[in-house]
Amino acid sequence: SGENLRLRALSALLALSMLAGTQALAAAPDISKLALPPGFEIEVVTTKVPNARQMALSDSGVLYVGTRRAGNVYAVTGALSATPTDPQVRVRTIASGLTMPSGLAWHNGSLYVGALNEILRFDNIDNKLDLPGDPVLITGDLPDKKHHGWKYLNVGPDNALYVPVGAPCNICKSKDTRFASILRMDPANGKTSLYAEGVRNTVGMAWHPDSKELYFTDNGRDMLGDDVPEEEVIESALRVSTSATRIFTPEKFQTPSLAKAGEPMNSNLRC
């Protein structure tokens, strides 16, 4: 729909505010040179969400914005129907002092927030923006390594949360199999199972509307320049139904860690 197209453009735009670091206010970015696909629009909604990462749109149109370094979660009202100077656009901080609360998802009327080792849930938050109160702790048992520890949340067709846990290093293997993976989580109790292994660091996921296959990005190792190794967009072969009873055998991928063709990862590196 037009609203979805606009939201995707907003996602790209608000991500630019990461360049502003942790400054309270940033100058509006120059968007005049941005090239968009047909049917897309882009505009500056607000510059008051520094360090913006993933976003989630509530049923009533409140745009929630996670952060990484800032440790805040913001709520933006009026984002989809207003211009930057419109007084409808108001930014509130609904949570602060969290560790990398970058991942957000809206599900069944609640906002889910993925911080470093926690998944939090804000119930009825649209009606409590001025006094949000404390969230419900779904789990605090995720790995707590900060290297690639920021989260990107996604709700699957089976109503489960899909939560990545990045590798706790540039290139290494870990005895904890949850590292370099995508976890499937029951949003009611935080119980997790492995959905995919060998995923070094994904920061984007989307479900095919018909086949129910998961597409996700995977960022390759660092410090080899801009072109090696190539980044990946991966199609998972595991189709998810609307039933929450299916038990998965985790899909295994090759962690993108090759320095060049034929040069394997150093298996002696451990985390």
Side-chain angles (χ1 to χ4, degrees):
S1 68
E3 181 174 283
N4 286 335
L5 290 176
R6 190 174 182 213
L7 179 58
R8 292 170 191 165
L10 285 171
S11 299
L13 177 59
L14 284 180
L16 294 176
S17 69
M18 289 189 292
L19 300 176
T22 56
Q23 297 178 5
L25 296 175
D30 180 9
I31 60 175
S32 61
K33 297 181 180 180
L34 289 177
L36 301 176
F40 278 71
E41 299 176 9
I42 192 165
E43 61 192 64
V44 177
V45 172
T46 179
T47 60
K48 298 179 181 179
V49 285
N51 196 224
R53 298 291 287 193
Q54 190 179 8
M55 302 189 299
L57 184 67
S58 76
D59 297 331
S60 67
V62 179
L63 187 65
Y64 294 95
V65 185
T67 64
R68 183 173 153 190
R69 294 183 302 273
N72 299 330
V73 178
Y74 303 106
V76 184
T77 53
L80 297 184
S81 59
T83 61
T85 57
D86 195 313
Q88 288 187 79
V89 179
R90 182 180 176 188
V91 178
R92 299 173 176 89
T93 301
I94 64 167
S96 61
L98 300 176
T99 304
M100 298 193 295
S102 58
L104 299 185
W106 184 263
H107 181 53
N108 287 342
S110 295
L111 177 69
Y112 288 81
V113 176
L116 175 62
N117 63 322
E118 298 178 326
I119 301 296
L120 309 170
R121 189 185 73 229
F122 289 84
D123 294 326
N124 194 32
I125 186 62
D126 276 6
N127 298 315
K128 301 189 299 182
L129 296 179
D130 291 316
L131 294 171
D134 295 328
V136 176
L137 177 64
I138 303 302
T139 184
D141 294 331
L142 295 175
D144 60 0
K145 300 294 186 182
K146 289 187 176 181
H147 198 118
H148 299 142
W150 50 90
K151 299 292 180 283
Y152 181 99
L153 302 185
N154 198 287
V155 179
D158 54 354
N159 293 311
L161 276 176
Y162 286 77
V163 184
V165 179
C169 51
N170 184 22
I171 46 171
C172 66
K173 293 181 179 179
S174 174
K175 293 180 180 179
D176 188 338
T177 57
R178 296 176 298 174
F179 284 116
S181 77
I182 298 175
L183 302 178
R184 180 180 182 272
M185 178 180 292
D186 186 333
N189 55 31
K191 180 181 287 188
T192 62
S193 59
L194 281 174
Y195 173 80
E197 300 175 272
V199 183
R200 178 180 177 273
N201 181 32
T202 180
V203 290
M205 296 183 281
W207 296 91
H208 192 286
D210 298 322
S211 70
K212 311 305 181 188
E213 293 171 315
L214 179 64
Y215 290 78
F216 58 91
T217 64
D218 199 7
N219 294 339
R221 61 159 293 176
D222 301 324
M223 297 182 287
L224 292 176
D226 293 335
D227 301 318
V228 178
E230 295 179 348
E231 315 296 4
E232 300 173 318
V233 176
I234 300 171
E235 176 187 1
S236 170
L238 294 178
R239 291 172 171 81
V240 175
S241 68
T242 55
S243 171
T245 60
R246 180 176 175 182
I247 299 175
F248 294 102
T249 299
E251 189 166 11
K252 295 185 178 182
F253 298 92
Q254 174 64 47
T255 303
S257 56
L258 303 184
K260 57 185 178 181
E263 182 176 335
M265 178 173 65
N266 184 347
S267 61
N268 294 320
L269 292 175
R270 301 284 177 180
C271 295

